[in-house]
């Protein structure tokens, strides 16, 4: 078989070489197998045995996930158990085995297909979404009825090291890959700041997204190379390619700890400009790794992952316990917690809201929280209570301008008032900031700066809303330009507005993690860089190797250029000149 290369969007750096595993959601095909009258009881017993086994496996899995990652990640299995316990379904299967004299697996798969069809055609979006749960269950039961190798390979039980190839991975799929034998992943859809890319970085595995048809062009067990830096997936690599990549992988591995010596040093330029290098946090399990990288705190704690992978909403106590654990683990460093940013590709099934109500321009983030103060207040109470146990700041996502910021603060004030009345302690001085990720917020940054205690620029969204480029759409991924002159001007404007009012301006979008932009962002005057933990040491090293003066000059020049490409070229050139040792090794 000859080698071929698929080109996608680089999503998380690194190289992986291994066997492909296709996570598909396609129909289950079970051939008919007629049985004799006397075999009917045997088939029914096999079916019941398979149901029992599946139930045991699900319970064991639920326990395992609860122990390893926490209860909230395991609650998805409750929904699966409920499907399994549906008496109508089991009675239907038994009746049909008797009537049609067909094997248990054949009858079961046909009945399940009908179930899945009914679910997928439901008007209610939430129920429609449940068809994938029903599909998962069907595969589990079938695995217990027939030769295991024919069916779904469970991500949770991966024993081999595999490269996951999927059309798309849901936030719950990626969250369940934590600490698993996943070498890398590659998906048909997605852009460089989609949740798949963000999770890959936090899991520390290479990823390529937006490959369009990888699931059709790669087969199970194909040998593949995932090159997360260049956005390539090489299928059936020949010996020459393999040895080149093996050597490259070795080289990257040997470089892994090369900046460890600066872990405890400040992120300070050669001429004395000090900034903070912080980590973005998706799952609390990442904290030991974050601390080992010398982050000076958490600059963005994305709380929506807490709401995923479960059939209900997290209550106040659960959230309080989780947030408290994070602030305590990070002490004495500070944790910037972001309030719920539901919407776009952060989809929360337990809310039972039709999915088409919250696309990127729909009912997202604050627009949702303002309408659902019941859900929002629960989170605010949990956050405020946790603030008492460490150093915490709080910020709102997707603020559109001062009026919205004020409305949310009114809710916050009422929550604070209640806590005071109940004599529940919280940090009375907790700072509340605004994320600047909507162009209208950047344009009104001068007004917002009078009310917010800090800004954090979310470039992942700021770029998509400024350029009208959906951040997860692989068709438009090439137009997603972080250095577009409009984006740079909005960043510059935000920094200036913040500094005029003496407030700190952070940047927590993926742009922060990419060394090619570090000089430019430094020169634009950012005070804090919050990023995927894997990039912290390299970015800190870079900052320590250059002067603020050079960075400012670069930013000035960049602001005169007319295209994003020219700015990228300038950044790359200056980086090569000013810090060749740091970037060459990474192949920026
Ligand atoms: C951003 O938009 O840049 C950001 C950090 O938020 P998220 O990626 O979670 O939308
Ligand atoms: Mg955002």
């Amino acid at each position: 078989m000859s080698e071929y290369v698929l080109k996608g969007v680089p999503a998380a750096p690194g190289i992986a070489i291994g066997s492909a595993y296709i996570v598909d959601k396609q129909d289950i095909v079970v051939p008919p197998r007629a049985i004799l009258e006397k075999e009917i009881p045997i088939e029914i017993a096999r079916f019941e045995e398979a149901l029992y086994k599946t139930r045991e496996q699900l319970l064991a899995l639920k326990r395992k996930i609860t122990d390893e990652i926490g209860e909230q990640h395991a609650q998805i299995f409750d929904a699966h158990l409920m499907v399994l316990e549906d008496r109508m379904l089991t009675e239907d299967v038994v009746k049909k085995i008797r009537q049609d004299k067909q094997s248990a697996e054949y009858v079961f798969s046909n009945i399940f297909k009908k179930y899945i069809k009914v679910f997928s055609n439901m008007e209610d979006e939430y129920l429609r979404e449940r068809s994938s749960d029903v599909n998962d269950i069907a595969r589990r039961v079938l695995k217990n009825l027939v030769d295991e190798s024919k069916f779904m390979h469970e991500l949770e039980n991966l024993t081999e090291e595999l490269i996951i190839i999927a059309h798309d991975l849901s936030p719950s799929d990626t969250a369940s890959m934590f600490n698993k034998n996943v070498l890398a992943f590659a998906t048909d859809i997605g852009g460089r700041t989609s949740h798949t890319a963000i999770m890959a970085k936090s899991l520390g595995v290479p990823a390529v997204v937006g490959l369009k048809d990888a699931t059709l062009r790669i087969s199970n067990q194909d040998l593949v190379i995932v090159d997360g830096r260049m956005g390539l997936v090489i299928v059936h690599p020949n010996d020459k390619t393999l040895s080149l990549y093996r050597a490259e992988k070795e080289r990257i591995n040997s470089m892994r700890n090369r900046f460890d010596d600066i872990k405890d040093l400040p992120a300070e330029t050669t001429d004395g400009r000090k900034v903070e290098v912080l980590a973005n946090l998706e799952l609390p399990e990442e904290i030991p790794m974050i601390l080992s990288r010398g982050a000076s705190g958490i600059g963005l704690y994305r709380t929506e992952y807490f709401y995923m992978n479960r059939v209900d909403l997290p209550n106040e106590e659960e959230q309080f316990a989780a947030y408290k654990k994070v602030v305590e683990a990070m002490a004495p460093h500070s944790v910037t917690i972001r309030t719920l940013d539901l919407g776009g590709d952060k989809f929360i099934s337990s809310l039972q809201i039709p999915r088409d109500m919250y696309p990127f321009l729909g009912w997202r983030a604050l627009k949702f929280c303002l309408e659902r103060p019941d859900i929002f207040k629960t989170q605010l109470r949990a956050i405020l209570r946790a603030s008492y146990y460490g150093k915490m700041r709080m910020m709102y996502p997707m603020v559109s301008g001062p009026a919205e910021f004020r409305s949310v603060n009114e809710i916050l004030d009422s929550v604070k008032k209640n806590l005071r009345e109940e004599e529940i302690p919280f940090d009375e001085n907790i700072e509340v900031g605004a994320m600047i990720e909507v162009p209208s917020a950047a344009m009104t940054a001068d007004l917002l700066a009078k009310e917010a205690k800090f800004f954090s620029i979310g470039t992942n969204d700021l770029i998509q809303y400024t350029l009208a480029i959906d951040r997860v759409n692989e068709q438009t991924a090439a137009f997603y330009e972080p250095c577009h002159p409009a984006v740079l001007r909005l960043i510059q404007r935000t920094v200036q507005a913040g500094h005029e009012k003496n407030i700190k301006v952070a940047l927590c979008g993926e742009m922060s993690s990419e060394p090619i932009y570090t000089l430019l962002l430094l020169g634009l005057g950012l005070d804090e860089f919050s990023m995927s933990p894997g990039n912290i040491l390299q970015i800190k090293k870079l900052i320590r190797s250059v002067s603020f003066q050079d960075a400012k000059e670069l930013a000035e020049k960049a602001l005169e250029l007319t295209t994003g490409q020219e700015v990228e070229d300038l950044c790359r050139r200056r980086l090569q000149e000013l810090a060749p040792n740091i970037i060459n090794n990474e192949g920026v």
Side-chain angles (χ1 to χ4, degrees), residues 302 338 341 346 364 397-398 435 437 458-462 465 471:
R302 289 184 165 98
R338 174 177 76 186
D341 181 11
K346 300 180 200 97
R364 189 180 165 190
M398 303 286 298
M435 281 193 75
E437 43 186 357
T459 42
N460 302 343
D461 280 313
L462 187 61
Y465 293 118
R471 63 192 261 191

Side-chain angles (χ1 to χ4, degrees), residues 221-468:
Q221 302 198 332
D222 277 352
L223 179 64
V224 292
I225 298 174
V226 173
D227 181 343
R229 305 160 312 166
M230 307 304 289
L232 304 177
V233 175
I234 302 160
V235 191
H236 304 308
N238 60 36
D239 289 347
K240 192 166 157 233
T241 311
L242 260 179
S243 62
L244 274 173
Y245 268 97
R246 282 197 180 117
E248 185 59 7
K249 195 165 170 264
E250 276 287 293
R251 195 183 64 78
I252 293 176
N253 276 347
S254 67
M255 299 282 172
R256 187 153 281 168
N257 303 324
R258 79 199 142 121
F259 301 134
D260 274 2
D261 55 326
I262 59 150
K263 178 169 129 355
D264 300 318
L265 299 178
E268 183 175 357
T269 59
T270 52
D271 51 356
R273 159 93 175 141
K274 254 194 208 160
V275 294
E276 296 294 331
V277 175
L278 309 141
N280 290 352
L281 178 77
E282 276 73 53
L283 303 171
E285 296 74 30
E286 294 169 75
I287 289 179
M289 207 266 268
I290 285 174
L291 289 171
S292 76
R293 299 292 165 109
S296 55
I298 305 285
L300 165 65
Y301 176 10
R302 289 184 165 98
T303 52
E304 44 289 338
Y305 285 91
F306 196 67
Y307 290 72
M308 290 171 182
N309 259 10
R310 54 188 299 154
V311 290
D312 58 356
L313 284 167
N315 64 31
E316 182 185 324
E317 284 314 310
E318 271 176 79
Q319 292 190 61
F320 165 61
Y323 304 155
K324 176 170 175 266
K325 218 164 149 183
V326 172
V327 269
E328 283 180 340
M330 286 305 298
H333 304 298
S334 81
V335 173
T336 305
I337 189 163
R338 174 177 76 186
T339 58
L340 184 59
D341 181 11
L342 162 82
D345 64 343
K346 300 180 200 97
F347 162 72
I348 297 171
S349 49
S350 58
L351 284 169
Q352 307 195 16
I353 299 165
R355 203 165 176 171
D356 51 10
M357 282 181 77
Y358 45 92
F360 281 118
L361 286 174
W363 202 23
R364 189 180 165 190
L366 288 189
K367 309 256 171 323
F368 172 83
C369 291
L370 285 166
E371 291 271 313
R372 291 293 304 263
D374 52 327
I375 295 173
F376 191 42
K377 280 182 172 176
T378 305
Q379 184 182 42
L380 291 178
R381 277 180 69 94
I383 292 175
L384 286 172
R385 286 175 59 195
S387 70
Y388 184 70
Y389 296 89
K391 210 163 146 201
M392 196 190 250
R393 306 194 297 188
M394 176 167 70
M395 64 185 181
Y396 306 137
M398 303 286 298
V399 174
S400 63
E404 206 169 51
F405 190 73
R406 248 170 255 151
S407 310
V408 192
N409 272 341
E410 275 167 27
I411 299 183
L412 179 69
D413 286 341
S414 76
V415 173
K416 284 183 177 172
K417 188 165 163 272
N418 288 344
L419 287 174
R420 280 186 209 112
E421 281 162 7
E422 294 166 49
E423 294 184 8
I424 298 176
F426 63 93
D427 177 3
E428 287 278 359
N429 299 316
I430 186 168
E431 291 188 348
V432 180
M435 281 193 75
I436 306 292
E437 43 186 357
V438 182
S440 59
M443 294 304 291
T444 52
D446 53 332
L447 306 174
L448 273 166
K450 293 181 193 157
E451 313 194 22
K453 286 281 182 290
F454 63 95
F455 285 155
S456 187
I457 305 176
T459 42
N460 302 343
D461 280 313
L462 187 61
I463 297 165
Q464 82 160 342
Y465 293 118
T466 305
L467 304 181

